[in-house]
């Protein structure tokens, strides 16, 4: 006995777009992004001081940008929030000092 599989059952699901590997353009003056890992960038201010990290995160709606800051006591990165714009995530790092 042979069984046929309906065409709808054989369609493949589209995989989400991969996370960006290149730093996003930032419209915030005096800010520079330096690669720190896969889809992770160190955010440097005008003087070259690290003010946090910017991480690309894949969500069901698309790519979000996570602002992260190093916490000295726990020696860990803490999430400050997820944003749809890399500029908004960088502003979070700038203003949450």
């Amino acid at each position: 006995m042979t069984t046929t599989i309906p065409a709808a059952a054989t369609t493949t699901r589209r995989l989400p777009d991969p996370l960006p590997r290149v730093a996003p353009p930032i419209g915030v003056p005096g800010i520079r992004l330096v690669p720190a890992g896969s889809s992770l960038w160190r955010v440097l201010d005008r003087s070259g001081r690290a003010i946090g990290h910017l991480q690309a995160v894949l969500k069901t709606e698309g790519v979000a940008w996570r602002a992260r800051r190093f916490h000295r006591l726990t020696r860990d990165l803490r999430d400050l929030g997820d944003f749809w714009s890399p500029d908004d995530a960088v502003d979070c790092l700038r203003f949450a000092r």
Side-chain angles (χ1 to χ4, degrees):
M1 175 181 196
T2 56
T3 307
T4 58
I5 300 172
T10 61
T11 58
T12 57
R13 205 174 125 201
R14 183 177 172 265
L15 294 175
D17 294 332
L19 292 173
R21 304 281 181 215
V22 177
I26 297 295
V28 181
I31 293 295
R32 202 166 42 108
L33 300 179
V34 177
S38 178
S39 300
L40 181 69
W41 296 271
R42 187 170 290 112
V43 181
L44 305 177
D45 66 6
R46 191 169 306 223
S47 67
R49 179 176 173 242
I51 60 172
H53 287 83
L54 179 67
Q55 181 180 21
V57 180
L58 193 58
K59 300 211 175 210
T60 55
E61 299 88 356
V63 175
W65 301 94
R66 181 170 292 157
R68 305 182 85 193
R69 170 128 332 119
F70 183 72
H71 187 255
R72 288 184 191 153
L73 294 177
T74 60
R75 300 182 55 88
D76 195 17
L77 289 174
R78 293 200 174 166
D79 297 343
L80 300 181
D82 291 353
F83 304 88
W84 292 118
S85 158
D87 288 343
D88 291 344
V90 168
D91 280 341
C92 175
L93 289 169
R94 288 176 49 220
F95 297 128
R97 288 195 207 192

